[in-house]
Amino acid sequence: MKCLLLVAHGSRRSASNDEIRKLATKLSARAAGSFDEVSCAFLEIAQPSIQEGIQQLIDRGAHEVVVLPYFLSAGRHVAEDIPREVRAKQAEHPGVAVRIAPYLGAAEHVPELLLALAEG
Amino acid sequence: MKCLLLVAHGSRRSASNDEIRKLATKLSARAAGSFDEVSCAFLEIAQPSIQEGIQQLIDRGAHEVVVLPYFLSAGRHVAEDIPREVRAKQAEHPGVAVRIAPYLGAAEHVPELLLALAEG
C-alpha cells in the first residue's frame, strides 16, 4: 500500500488548515493508480503532526509513504524540520519506505501555472 | 503596456527573496504575448514593497498591472493586506488598471502539479 502525505506548515487560522484538508481530499480523488491513500499533516500548530500522520498511514497498512512539502520556498522548514521529523519516524519503522518529494515551489510547471492564473 | 507583479510575503532569509526574484525572471522569459514586463514585490520585510513595485511598473509605462499573490492559502494577507496596498496605489493612478489575480493556492491545476511531484 503506497500513500501520500501532504505536509503543510499549519496555521492559527483553522480555515487555512481546513483548506489543506480539502486539498488532500481532492488529491485523494485524483490519485487512483498512483497512491492508495492520501492524507495531510502539519509541521506546527495544527494536527496531526508529521510523525502522527505517517504513523496513521502505517497503521492503515502503508509500506511506502511519500511526504510532499506544501511549501513555496526551500527554507529551514523544507531543508531541516521536515526531514528531521521524517527521519525520526523512519527509524522506528525500517521496513516502511518513507521518501520526501520536492516541495511545491520547486515544481517545474509553477511558472506556467502562475501565468495561467495571471491571464485569468 | 501590460505588466505582471508577482507578490510574495517576504522573508528574513535573503535566499528565499532571491528565489522569488528568480521566479519573476523565469516568468518574464515565458510571458511573451501576455505581459510586456514581469517583476516582483513583497508584502513585508523585503523590497520593493507592493506599492513601490506597482509604481516602478507605472514609471516604466504600464497602463495595466496584474498583481499575482504567490501565496498558498486565502489568509489575511491575501484577503486584506494585499488588496489594501493595491487600492492605495490604484487611488493615486486612476488611469492605470490594477487587478489582483487569484492566489497560487487557488489554481485549478495545483492538485495535478502536486501528484506529478509526488510521483517523481
Side-chain angles (χ1 to χ4, degrees):
Chain A
M1 182 175 162
K2 186 176 174 181
C3 298
L4 175 60
L5 185 68
L6 181 71
V7 169
H9 184 278
S11 171
R12 274 174 208 88
R13 275 181 79 247
S14 64
S16 290
N17 302 325
D18 288 343
E19 218 177 323
I20 302 302
R21 294 182 182 106
K22 275 181 205 148
L23 178 56
T25 304
K26 253 191 211 173
L27 287 172
S28 192
R30 296 177 195 208
S34 307
F35 297 96
D36 300 299
E37 206 164 310
V38 181
S39 60
C40 66
F42 301 92
L43 178 61
E44 294 176 3
I45 305 164
Q47 274 77 42
S49 69
I50 296 173
Q51 294 203 40
E52 287 164 354
I54 296 172
Q55 187 63 54
Q56 286 166 7
L57 291 171
I58 291 173
D59 291 345
R60 291 206 282 270
H63 65 267
E64 190 177 345
V65 178
V66 176
V67 172
L68 178 57
Y70 191 60
F71 282 76
L72 289 177
S73 75
R76 187 171 45 81
H77 293 323
V78 166
E80 298 171 26
D81 301 339
I82 294 175
R84 182 192 62 235
E85 295 302 308
V86 168
R87 272 196 310 271
K89 189 46 76 176
Q90 173 75 83
E92 284 176 26
H93 299 276
V96 177
V98 187
R99 174 171 73 79
I100 305 178
Y103 65 102
L104 171 60
E108 190 189 349
H109 295 296
V110 163
E112 280 87 344
L113 201 79
L114 292 172
L115 285 172
L117 275 176
E119 285 161 16
Chain B
M1 182 176 161
K2 186 174 174 182
C3 297
L4 175 60
L5 185 69
L6 180 71
V7 169
H9 184 277
S11 171
R12 274 174 208 88
R13 275 180 80 247
S14 64
S16 291
N17 301 326
D18 287 344
E19 218 178 322
I20 303 301
R21 295 182 181 107
K22 275 180 205 149
L23 178 56
T25 304
K26 253 190 210 172
L27 286 172
S28 193
R30 297 178 194 208
S34 306
F35 296 96
D36 300 299
E37 205 163 313
V38 181
S39 60
C40 66
F42 301 92
L43 178 61
E44 294 176 3
I45 305 165
Q47 274 76 43
S49 69
I50 296 173
Q51 293 202 41
E52 287 164 354
I54 296 172
Q55 187 64 53
Q56 286 165 6
L57 291 171
I58 292 172
D59 291 345
R60 292 206 281 269
H63 64 268
E64 190 177 345
V65 177
V66 176
V67 172
L68 178 57
Y70 191 61
F71 283 75
L72 289 177
S73 76
R76 188 171 44 82
H77 292 324
V78 166
E80 298 170 26
D81 301 338
I82 294 174
R84 182 192 62 234
E85 295 303 308
V86 168
R87 272 196 309 272
K89 188 46 76 176
Q90 174 75 84
E92 283 175 27
H93 299 277
V96 177
V98 187
R99 173 170 75 78
I100 304 179
Y103 65 101
L104 171 60
E108 190 189 350
H109 295 296
V110 163
E112 280 87 344
L113 201 78
L114 292 172
L115 285 172
L117 274 176
E119 285 161 15

